[in-house]
Amino acid sequence: MGIFDFTRKVANDAIILNSNLINISSIAAKKLVNKENDVINSYASAKLNTENFLKAKLNYKKLNSISLRPPAIWGDNAPGTFRQIDKILKIGFPLPIKSIKAKRGYI
């Protein structure tokens, strides 16, 4: 069963139960990357398509759907830039935290 099949099943179950639905999506859905065959773009598109599907399907049945987009969530062996920052911190190199201007949240 693919992720969209699962989403369809959850939506249908919510309709049968006459229940509203909370979907945990991704901040990636907000910023789609415009590159062909980009993994992030595919992921973001899937998340955005899921949000739109749930909203339309449940609204049609007079039910509510909300999609929450939490900030980036990192754990052990996180990929990309976070892994590099983690390595730098472990060796004790001070970071210029005051000069960082990006408005991002992490959990």
Side-chain angles (χ1 to χ4, degrees):
M1 175 183 295
I3 190 67
F4 199 74
D5 296 325
F6 179 76
T7 300
R8 189 177 294 119
K9 181 181 178 347
V10 169
N12 288 333
D13 288 349
I15 290 167
I16 290 168
L17 296 170
N18 196 36
S19 176
N20 297 316
L21 189 105
I22 299 173
N23 173 45
I24 305 299
S25 187
S26 170
I27 197 68
K30 185 177 179 182
K31 295 182 179 181
L32 293 175
V33 179
N34 292 323
K35 296 179 184 174
E36 289 185 29
N37 300 321
D38 189 345
V39 174
I40 295 172
N41 189 35
S42 298
Y43 175 78
S45 294
K47 288 296 192 173
L48 186 59
N49 289 340
T50 298
E51 289 179 14
N52 292 334
F53 169 79
L54 289 172
K55 186 175 180 180
K57 178 98 174 171
L58 272 70
N59 283 352
Y60 178 75
K61 295 292 186 174
K62 308 265 191 260
L63 297 170
N64 294 310
S65 169
I66 185 169
S67 291
L68 303 177
R69 295 176 178 166
I73 300 172
W74 300 101
D76 290 340
N77 298 317
T81 306
F82 193 80
R83 181 179 286 168
Q84 293 170 346
I85 293 170
D86 189 45
K87 285 180 183 179
I88 290 170
L89 290 174
K90 284 180 180 173
I91 62 171
F93 191 83
L95 294 177
I97 301 298
K98 280 187 169 183
S99 66
I100 294 175
K101 297 197 186 329
K103 295 179 181 178
R104 297 179 187 213
Y106 297 99
I107 296 176

Short mmCIF file of all heavy atoms in Angstrom, two decimals, residues 49-71:
data_model
loop_
_atom_site.label_atom_id
_atom_site.label_comp_id
_atom_site.label_asym_id
_atom_site.label_seq_id
_atom_site.Cartn_x
_atom_site.Cartn_y
_atom_site.Cartn_z
N ASN A 49 -0.09 17.33 -2.17
CA ASN A 49 -1.21 16.61 -2.79
C ASN A 49 -2.08 15.94 -1.72
O ASN A 49 -3.31 15.94 -1.82
CB ASN A 49 -0.71 15.56 -3.78
CG ASN A 49 -0.15 16.19 -5.03
OD1 ASN A 49 -0.43 17.34 -5.36
ND2 ASN A 49 0.67 15.44 -5.74
N THR A 50 -1.44 15.39 -0.69
CA THR A 50 -2.18 14.77 0.40
C THR A 50 -3.01 15.80 1.15
O THR A 50 -4.19 15.57 1.44
CB THR A 50 -1.21 14.07 1.37
OG1 THR A 50 -0.52 13.03 0.66
CG2 THR A 50 -1.92 13.48 2.56
N GLU A 51 -2.41 16.95 1.44
CA GLU A 51 -3.14 18.02 2.14
C GLU A 51 -4.38 18.43 1.33
O GLU A 51 -5.48 18.55 1.87
CB GLU A 51 -2.25 19.24 2.34
CG GLU A 51 -1.16 19.05 3.35
CD GLU A 51 -0.28 20.29 3.49
OE1 GLU A 51 -0.67 21.38 3.00
OE2 GLU A 51 0.80 20.18 4.11
N ASN A 52 -4.18 18.66 0.03
CA ASN A 52 -5.29 19.10 -0.83
C ASN A 52 -6.36 18.03 -0.96
O ASN A 52 -7.56 18.34 -0.94
CB ASN A 52 -4.76 19.50 -2.21
CG ASN A 52 -3.92 20.76 -2.15
OD1 ASN A 52 -4.06 21.58 -1.26
ND2 ASN A 52 -3.01 20.89 -3.10
N PHE A 53 -5.95 16.78 -1.08
CA PHE A 53 -6.91 15.68 -1.19
C PHE A 53 -7.78 15.58 0.06
O PHE A 53 -9.00 15.49 -0.02
CB PHE A 53 -6.17 14.35 -1.43
CG PHE A 53 -7.06 13.15 -1.29
CD1 PHE A 53 -7.92 12.79 -2.33
CD2 PHE A 53 -7.07 12.40 -0.14
CE1 PHE A 53 -8.75 11.69 -2.21
CE2 PHE A 53 -7.90 11.30 0.00
CZ PHE A 53 -8.75 10.94 -1.04
N LEU A 54 -7.12 15.59 1.22
CA LEU A 54 -7.88 15.47 2.47
C LEU A 54 -8.85 16.63 2.66
O LEU A 54 -10.01 16.42 3.06
CB LEU A 54 -6.92 15.40 3.67
CG LEU A 54 -6.12 14.10 3.79
CD1 LEU A 54 -5.08 14.23 4.88
CD2 LEU A 54 -7.05 12.92 4.05
N LYS A 55 -8.40 17.83 2.37
CA LYS A 55 -9.26 19.00 2.52
C LYS A 55 -10.49 18.89 1.62
O LYS A 55 -11.62 19.08 2.07
CB LYS A 55 -8.48 20.27 2.20
CG LYS A 55 -9.26 21.53 2.46
CD LYS A 55 -8.39 22.76 2.24
CE LYS A 55 -9.18 24.01 2.52
NZ LYS A 55 -8.39 25.22 2.31
N ALA A 56 -10.28 18.54 0.36
CA ALA A 56 -11.39 18.44 -0.59
C ALA A 56 -12.33 17.29 -0.23
O ALA A 56 -13.56 17.46 -0.22
CB ALA A 56 -10.85 18.25 -2.01
N LYS A 57 -11.78 16.14 0.08
CA LYS A 57 -12.58 14.94 0.37
C LYS A 57 -13.43 15.15 1.62
O LYS A 57 -14.62 14.84 1.61
CB LYS A 57 -11.65 13.74 0.54
CG LYS A 57 -12.33 12.46 0.88
CD LYS A 57 -12.53 11.61 -0.32
CE LYS A 57 -13.09 10.26 0.07
NZ LYS A 57 -13.48 9.49 -1.08
N LEU A 58 -12.83 15.65 2.68
CA LEU A 58 -13.59 15.80 3.92
C LEU A 58 -14.53 17.00 3.87
O LEU A 58 -15.64 16.93 4.40
CB LEU A 58 -12.65 15.88 5.13
CG LEU A 58 -12.31 14.49 5.70
CD1 LEU A 58 -11.44 13.69 4.79
CD2 LEU A 58 -11.76 14.59 7.07
N ASN A 59 -14.12 18.10 3.23
CA ASN A 59 -15.01 19.25 3.11
C ASN A 59 -16.27 18.89 2.32
O ASN A 59 -17.34 19.39 2.61
CB ASN A 59 -14.30 20.44 2.45
CG ASN A 59 -13.38 21.16 3.42
OD1 ASN A 59 -13.36 20.89 4.61
ND2 ASN A 59 -12.59 22.07 2.89
N TYR A 60 -16.12 18.03 1.32
CA TYR A 60 -17.26 17.57 0.52
C TYR A 60 -18.30 16.89 1.41
O TYR A 60 -19.50 17.00 1.18
CB TYR A 60 -16.77 16.62 -0.58
CG TYR A 60 -17.87 16.06 -1.42
CD1 TYR A 60 -18.51 16.85 -2.38
CD2 TYR A 60 -18.29 14.74 -1.26
CE1 TYR A 60 -19.53 16.34 -3.16
CE2 TYR A 60 -19.31 14.22 -2.03
CZ TYR A 60 -19.92 15.01 -2.99
OH TYR A 60 -20.94 14.51 -3.74
N LYS A 61 -17.82 16.21 2.44
CA LYS A 61 -18.72 15.51 3.37
C LYS A 61 -19.05 16.36 4.60
O LYS A 61 -19.55 15.87 5.60
CB LYS A 61 -18.09 14.19 3.82
CG LYS A 61 -17.93 13.20 2.71
CD LYS A 61 -19.28 12.70 2.24
CE LYS A 61 -19.12 11.60 1.21
NZ LYS A 61 -20.40 11.01 0.84
N LYS A 62 -18.73 17.66 4.53
CA LYS A 62 -19.00 18.61 5.63
C LYS A 62 -18.21 18.28 6.89
O LYS A 62 -18.66 18.51 8.01
CB LYS A 62 -20.49 18.68 5.94
CG LYS A 62 -21.39 18.94 4.75
CD LYS A 62 -21.69 20.39 4.62
CE LYS A 62 -22.79 20.62 3.60
NZ LYS A 62 -22.33 21.02 2.30
N LEU A 63 -17.01 17.72 6.71
CA LEU A 63 -16.10 17.45 7.81
C LEU A 63 -14.88 18.34 7.65
O LEU A 63 -14.64 18.89 6.58
CB LEU A 63 -15.68 15.98 7.82
CG LEU A 63 -16.80 14.97 8.05
CD1 LEU A 63 -16.30 13.56 7.80
CD2 LEU A 63 -17.36 15.10 9.46
N ASN A 64 -14.10 18.48 8.70
CA ASN A 64 -12.92 19.33 8.66
C ASN A 64 -11.64 18.51 8.61
O ASN A 64 -11.55 17.45 9.21
CB ASN A 64 -12.87 20.24 9.89
CG ASN A 64 -14.01 21.22 9.90
OD1 ASN A 64 -14.25 21.91 8.92
ND2 ASN A 64 -14.73 21.28 11.01
N SER A 65 -10.67 19.04 7.90
CA SER A 65 -9.33 18.47 7.85
C SER A 65 -8.34 19.61 8.06
O SER A 65 -8.48 20.67 7.45
CB SER A 65 -9.08 17.81 6.49
OG SER A 65 -7.73 17.49 6.35
N ILE A 66 -7.38 19.38 8.92
CA ILE A 66 -6.33 20.38 9.12
C ILE A 66 -4.99 19.68 8.94
O ILE A 66 -4.81 18.54 9.38
CB ILE A 66 -6.42 21.06 10.50
CG1 ILE A 66 -5.38 22.16 10.61
CG2 ILE A 66 -6.28 20.06 11.63
CD1 ILE A 66 -5.55 23.06 11.81
N SER A 67 -4.08 20.34 8.25
CA SER A 67 -2.74 19.80 8.06
C SER A 67 -1.76 20.66 8.84
O SER A 67 -1.68 21.86 8.63
CB SER A 67 -2.37 19.79 6.57
OG SER A 67 -3.15 18.84 5.88
N LEU A 68 -1.05 20.03 9.74
CA LEU A 68 -0.03 20.72 10.54
C LEU A 68 1.32 20.51 9.87
O LEU A 68 1.64 19.41 9.43
CB LEU A 68 -0.01 20.16 11.96
CG LEU A 68 -1.34 20.24 12.72
CD1 LEU A 68 -1.18 19.58 14.09
CD2 LEU A 68 -1.80 21.67 12.86
N ARG A 69 2.09 21.58 9.80
CA ARG A 69 3.43 21.52 9.20
C ARG A 69 4.46 21.87 10.27
O ARG A 69 4.86 23.03 10.41
CB ARG A 69 3.54 22.49 8.05
CG ARG A 69 2.63 22.16 6.88
CD ARG A 69 2.72 23.23 5.83
NE ARG A 69 1.90 22.91 4.67
CZ ARG A 69 1.59 23.80 3.74
NH1 ARG A 69 2.03 25.04 3.85
NH2 ARG A 69 0.86 23.44 2.71
N PRO A 70 4.91 20.86 11.03
CA PRO A 70 5.89 21.16 12.09
C PRO A 70 7.23 21.56 11.50
O PRO A 70 7.53 21.26 10.34
CB PRO A 70 6.01 19.83 12.84
CG PRO A 70 5.61 18.79 11.86
CD PRO A 70 4.60 19.44 10.95
N PRO A 71 8.07 22.23 12.31
CA PRO A 71 9.41 22.58 11.83
C PRO A 71 10.24 21.30 11.67
O PRO A 71 9.80 20.21 12.04
CB PRO A 71 9.98 23.46 12.95
CG PRO A 71 9.23 23.02 14.16
CD PRO A 71 7.85 22.65 13.69
#
